[in-house]
Amino acid sequence: MTTPPALQHLGVQTDATGGEIRVYSSAADGIDVLIYDTENHDHVRERVSLVKGHGDVWSAHSPHLVIGAEYTLQAWGPVTAHNSFDAEALLIDPYARGVVHRGTQWRASVVDDSFDWGQVTKPNIDLDHTVLYEAHVRGLTKMHPQLPLELRGTYAGLGHEVMTRYLTELGVTSVELLPVHQFVSEQFLLEQGAVNYWGYNTLNFFSPHSAYATKAARAEGSSAILREFKQMVKNLHAAGIEVILDVVYNHTAEEGQGGPRLSLRGLDNGAYYRQDAAGTYIDTTGCGNSVNTAHPAAAQLILDSLRYWAQECQVDGFRFDLAAELGRDAHHEFQQDHPLLVAMQNDPIIGQTKLIAEPWDVGMGGWQTGNFAPGWREWNDRYRDRIRNFWLPDIAQARNTGIAPTGVGGFAMRLAGSSNTFSDERGPIASVNFITAHDGFTLADLTTFNDKHNIGNGEDNNDGSSENRSFNHGVEGPTEDSAIAQTRRRTMRNLMGTLLLSAGIPMITAGDEHGRTQHGNNNAYCHDSPLTWVNWELQPWQEDLLATTKYLTKLRREYPALRPVRFGRFGETVPSASQVEWYNTQGENMEQEDWEDPHNRTLQYVAASTPEKEEFNRILMIIHGTEQATDVIVPSHPGVTSYEPLWFSPHPAPREIPGSLRPGETFKINGTSILLYNAL
C-alpha cells in the first residue's frame, strides 16, 4: 500500500513563519481552522479558510499555528445519507499531536516534539525471550507505596526506578499497556456518572491520554505530556523493557449514528466509517461504528499513527484491539492480505515492531484465530480456553462425576505451541499465550468464583461473559477454610506454571503474579478505583506466589527447550525447535488410546532444544491433571541418565528440591501438579 502523495504530511507542520495545516475531506464544501488566543482561551485569534487541493486535501498557512497554539476545525458540506456535516461543530484535527479540554470542548494543540533520547535505544527482545505484561498505566502504579504521591497513576510513575526494578526482577521483558491514545468515556457511562477506565474509546490516534500525566505536566500543556510519555519509554528502555501499546483503530469515540460529532464524522463521515448504501453504519465492533479501513484515507491515518508512535515515541510494538475489523475489505469481509495489514508489515518502521492481533471482532466471520499472515502474533483464545478447562472445570466435573470430560490431548497441543492453530511457517512464537487479560476474571478469581459478580457495573449483572471456565473449589468467594484456600493457591501455581512453561509468547496480566482479585467482577471496565488498581500490600501467600512467578520466568530464560521458535518435525532436526517425546504414566511412548482416554490426565513431556544461539538443554515436565494419587514411572529417554528437580507446583514457594530420579524409577504424585526436571 503506497501512500498517495496528497495524503502525506497531514496535520500541522511548523516552520519559521508559523505553520501549515493539511486536512483530508472528499465531501466537504469548505473547512475553516479556528486558532485561539494563547492568553484568553475563549477568544478566537484567527479564522482561516482552508483551500482544497490535489487529492481532496485542504490546506492553509497561518503565522499563529505555532507550538502551544490551540485550534479547532469547522467543516460544512452537502446533506446526504453518508455525510454528517454541521458547520457549527468544533472538530479535532485527526492528526493532532496534542489535545486539550476546555470546558465542554476538545481542541487540538500544536506540540513541541523535541526530545533527547541520549544513547538509549529499543531493547529489541527476541520473540522467544519475550514475556509480556499487560498493565494499565494508572492501575499499576496508583497504589504503589514506594512511589512519590505525585507520580502514582502516571506515565512518570511507570517509568520510575521503583517500577522498572520491579518489572526487571519479575522477569517480564515487555509491558503491554492498555490504551494510552487520548480517549473519553462513552455517553451512556457519563449519564450514569461512571467512566471508561480501560480506555477503549479513542478520541485521537496521535496524542497521549492526558489524564495519565502528572499534574505538573498537565498544567504545562500538551508538549509536557508528550515529553513525560517519552521519558517513561526512555526509562523502561534503559532498564531493558519494551513498550507495547494496545491500540484501538477499529472504532472511535464518535460512537453510533447520533453520537458525538468530534472529528472524523464531521470531516468526512462517508470516508472514515463503514456504511451500507442507505448510510447506516456497519458495526463489526459492537461499539456503534467501525473505521472503514478499505478507504485509503482511513488506512493512511492508521499507518501514520503507528509510524508516529514507533518512530517519534520509540514504541516497540502494538496489540491491535479487534484486529479482524482492520482486515475487512470494501465488502466488509476479512482478508489475510488486506492492503492495510500488508502495509504494516512492509513499512520500514512499523514492520520492525512487534505486531500482535486480537484476531477477532463481533461481525460475521469475525473469529480469525490462526488466520493472520506470517509475521503477525496473535492472542490465542484457544490456548486460554483449553488451559482453563484442564485445571478448573475439568477438575470440578471430576469431583462431581468421578471422571473429567477430556484427557490430556488438547492440553498437550497447547503446551507445545498450538501447532493445530498456527502453520509451520509461523511456528509457536505466533501464539501469544494467555490465561487471563484485562477483561475477565483475574487468576485468583478463576479459582475463587464460579459466577461473575458484576452488580457494581450498574447493568444488573447482565454484562460480562457468563462462560468463565472457572472453579471455586467448593465455596463461592472468600473462605476461612484453609484446605480450600491451599487448593486454590495450588491451582494458581498450576495455571501460572503452565503459562510460563508453554511454547509460545506468554502474557501475564498485571497483579496475577501475586494473586490480585477483583472480587468476582469479570468486566471492570467502568471502575477507576481500588477494585481495579493493583494492591501492593501483599499477604504471605501472595509473596510466595510472586516468588514462584519470578522463579518461573527465570527457568524460562535459562531453558531454551521451553521456548522453541519453530515446530519440530518427526525424524528431522529443526534448528531452534524442541524435539519432543510424550510418555504415559508407565514411562512408555503415548499411544492413540492414551491421548483419547478421558481417564488419562497424567502426561510426561521430554523436550530437547536444537540450539542455534544457546547451549543445548533438555527438560522433563510431568503434568498431573487429577486430584487422585497416581504412580508414575519416569521414562528411559535416549541420552538421559538422571532427572534433576527444578520446580514442583505443590510447593507454596520455590525451594531447593533434594535428590534426583533415575530412568525407570517409580514415584507417587498426589493432587494436581506440574513437576519440572532438568534431563541430564
Side-chain angles (χ1 to χ4, degrees):
M1 180 177 178
T2 303
T3 303
L7 293 182
Q8 296 178 359
H9 309 301
L10 295 182
V12 171
Q13 309 292 324
T14 59
D15 56 31
T17 61
E20 180 185 42
I21 183 168
R22 290 167 51 82
V23 178
Y24 173 84
S25 178
S26 62
D29 289 334
I31 303 176
D32 283 355
V33 57
L34 283 63
I35 307 169
Y36 297 88
D37 190 272
T38 55
E39 299 297 329
N40 181 359
H41 297 299
D42 294 329
H43 176 66
V44 176
R45 183 173 188 176
E46 183 182 29
R47 174 189 288 268
V48 182
S49 293
L50 278 62
V51 177
K52 188 175 183 178
H54 178 66
D56 297 318
V57 171
W58 301 68
S59 64
H61 188 279
S62 169
H64 303 302
L65 277 174
V66 295
I67 291 171
E70 298 175 9
Y71 66 100
T72 57
L73 300 169
Q74 287 184 323
W76 57 96
V79 178
T80 71
H82 295 282
N83 292 332
S84 185
F85 289 110
D86 181 346
E88 298 302 314
L90 299 174
L91 307 173
I92 301 170
D93 175 5
Y95 279 77
R97 274 28 175 192
V99 293
V100 295
H101 198 219
R102 298 290 182 191
T104 60
Q105 179 190 120
W106 286 98
R107 299 176 181 174
S109 175
V110 182
V111 302
D112 176 3
D113 58 10
S114 62
F115 186 78
D116 181 9
W117 292 97
Q119 301 301 309
V120 177
T121 59
K122 295 184 179 183
N124 291 318
I125 307 295
D126 290 341
L127 287 163
D128 63 311
H129 282 269
T130 299
V131 179
L132 297 170
Y133 187 74
E134 190 197 37
H136 188 286
V137 170
R138 179 171 168 82
L140 182 63
T141 61
K142 182 63 177 174
M143 296 176 67
H144 202 298
Q146 296 177 24
L147 285 174
L149 278 172
E150 67 273 14
L151 301 188
R152 296 180 191 178
T154 69
Y155 301 124
L158 180 52
H160 192 277
E161 61 179 352
V162 167
M163 292 309 305
T164 59
R165 182 170 61 249
Y166 174 81
L167 295 168
T168 303
E169 291 175 354
L170 180 59
V172 299
T173 67
S174 315
V175 290
E176 183 178 302
L177 300 179
L178 268 66
V180 299
H181 290 173
Q182 182 66 55
F183 65 87
V184 294
S185 296
E186 293 86 343
Q187 298 299 300
F188 81 93
L189 285 174
L190 294 174
E191 290 168 3
Q192 296 176 10
V195 298
N196 183 321
Y197 170 68
W198 288 345
Y200 293 89
N201 199 46
T202 307
L203 177 69
N204 176 266
F205 293 143
F206 289 85
S207 52
H209 188 59
S210 57
Y212 296 160
T214 58
K215 184 178 180 180
R218 296 198 306 271
E220 189 176 340
S222 297
S223 296
I225 293 169
L226 178 59
R227 282 198 303 274
E228 187 174 305
F229 179 89
K230 291 179 178 179
Q231 189 64 52
M232 174 196 73
V233 175
K234 181 178 180 179
N235 292 353
L236 287 164
H237 282 177
I241 299 166
E242 294 179 320
V243 178
I244 312 291
L245 299 188
D246 191 336
V247 286
V248 188
Y249 294 115
N250 57 78
H251 75 282
T252 76
E254 293 185 301
E255 303 184 29
Q257 281 157 321
R261 188 182 287 98
L262 301 168
S263 184
L264 303 179
R265 173 176 288 147
L267 289 170
D268 199 333
N269 188 52
Y272 285 114
Y273 294 118
R274 295 187 184 276
Q275 302 174 40
D276 63 17
T280 302
Y281 281 171
I282 295 171
D283 181 11
T284 62
T285 67
C287 300
N289 65 57
S290 299
V291 173
N292 184 15
T293 57
H295 193 284
Q300 192 61 47
L301 174 66
I302 294 170
L303 290 171
D304 288 342
S305 171
L306 291 169
R307 197 176 298 113
Y308 173 77
W309 291 99
Q311 185 173 38
E312 182 64 37
C313 300
Q314 291 290 289
V315 163
D316 304 274
F318 304 92
R319 179 268 188 188
F320 294 86
D321 181 63
L322 301 182
E325 199 285 325
L326 303 183
R328 290 183 180 271
D329 60 17
H331 303 288
H332 318 298
E333 297 176 354
F334 177 79
Q335 301 293 334
Q336 184 189 77
D337 60 351
H338 187 287
L340 174 59
L341 302 182
V342 173
M344 290 180 192
Q345 290 185 275
N346 291 340
D347 187 273
I349 296 168
I350 304 168
Q352 296 304 307
T353 68
K354 290 180 168 70
L355 301 177
I356 303 170
E358 182 185 37
W360 53 78
D361 62 21
V362 301
M364 291 291 292
W367 188 60
Q368 295 293 335
T369 305
N371 293 335
F372 278 70
W376 280 86
R377 318 298 148 197
E378 299 179 36
W379 272 28
N380 189 349
D381 55 324
R382 296 182 184 183
Y383 176 94
R384 173 199 63 198
D385 293 349
R386 177 61 69 180
I387 302 308
R388 285 191 185 189
N389 282 348
F390 187 81
W391 292 117
L392 295 158
D394 284 7
I395 301 299
Q397 183 167 328
R399 281 193 187 183
N400 292 332
T401 66
I403 184 172
T406 60
V408 295
F411 179 92
M413 184 69 72
R414 300 302 164 193
L415 180 72
S418 298
S419 61
N420 61 339
T421 301
F422 301 102
S423 65
D424 281 354
E425 182 182 8
R426 300 182 68 189
I429 54 173
S431 177
V432 173
N433 298 331
F434 68 107
I435 294 170
T436 67
H438 61 275
D439 53 346
F441 279 155
T442 66
L443 187 73
D445 287 356
L446 281 175
T447 71
T448 308
F449 300 93
N450 283 350
D451 304 304
K452 63 184 179 182
H453 295 266
N454 297 355
I455 293 297
N457 295 0
E459 298 183 46
D460 297 323
N461 210 41
N462 291 318
D463 65 306
S465 175
S466 296
E467 296 294 327
N468 293 294
R469 303 172 192 265
S470 59
F471 177 35
N472 66 17
H473 293 81
V475 174
E476 186 74 358
T479 180
E480 297 298 320
D481 187 313
S482 61
I484 291 176
Q486 293 300 325
T487 304
R488 287 173 175 174
R489 294 164 193 170
R490 181 170 180 151
T491 301
M492 283 186 245
R493 294 191 296 273
N494 286 333
L495 289 163
M496 187 64 78
T498 303
L499 176 66
L500 291 172
L501 302 178
S502 291
I505 299 172
M507 184 185 79
I508 301 169
T509 304
D512 276 355
E513 69 270 23
H514 49 68
R516 184 179 78 88
T517 181
Q518 288 181 171
H519 306 293
N521 192 317
N522 73 354
N523 191 37
Y525 75 103
C526 56
H527 293 273
D528 185 1
S529 72
L531 178 72
T532 51
W533 302 339
V534 175
N535 184 351
W536 297 94
E537 301 295 333
L538 306 183
Q539 299 176 33
W541 72 265
Q542 293 179 291
E543 296 281 6
D544 288 344
L545 181 57
L546 177 59
T548 295
T549 306
K550 291 179 179 179
Y551 186 63
L552 287 167
T553 60
K554 176 175 179 289
L555 290 174
R556 184 176 182 86
R557 283 195 304 275
E558 294 177 351
Y559 289 84
L562 296 168
R563 42 181 173 79
V565 174
R566 302 181 180 92
F567 291 122
R569 289 191 292 270
F570 184 76
E572 298 182 34
T573 299
V574 179
S576 292
S578 288
Q579 296 177 306
V580 174
E581 292 286 343
W582 305 95
Y583 297 96
N584 61 21
T585 56
Q586 302 303 305
E588 300 169 344
N589 288 108
M590 292 280 285
E591 301 291 344
Q592 192 62 36
E593 55 267 27
D594 295 318
W595 291 116
E596 297 173 351
D597 183 0
H599 292 88
N600 179 26
R601 300 271 297 175
T602 306
L603 178 72
Q604 300 191 80
Y605 168 65
V606 175
S609 67
T610 49
E612 292 180 282
K613 303 176 183 177
E614 301 175 83
E615 295 297 320
F616 169 82
N617 87 290
R618 179 167 42 201
I619 58 94
L620 165 68
M621 196 185 317
I622 302 175
I623 307 293
H624 187 54
T626 173
E627 295 182 311
Q628 309 307 312
T630 301
D631 288 330
V632 173
I633 302 173
V634 295
S636 297
H637 188 84
V640 176
T641 58
S642 67
Y643 297 99
E644 174 188 90
L646 295 173
W647 178 70
F648 290 178
S649 70
H651 297 166
R655 69 189 196 202
E656 186 174 343
I657 306 169
S660 60
L661 292 174
R662 298 289 179 183
E665 190 172 338
T666 301
F667 71 102
K668 187 182 294 292
I669 303 181
N670 294 299
T672 59
S673 302
I674 301 176
L675 311 180
L676 184 68
Y677 296 85
N678 190 9
L680 301 172

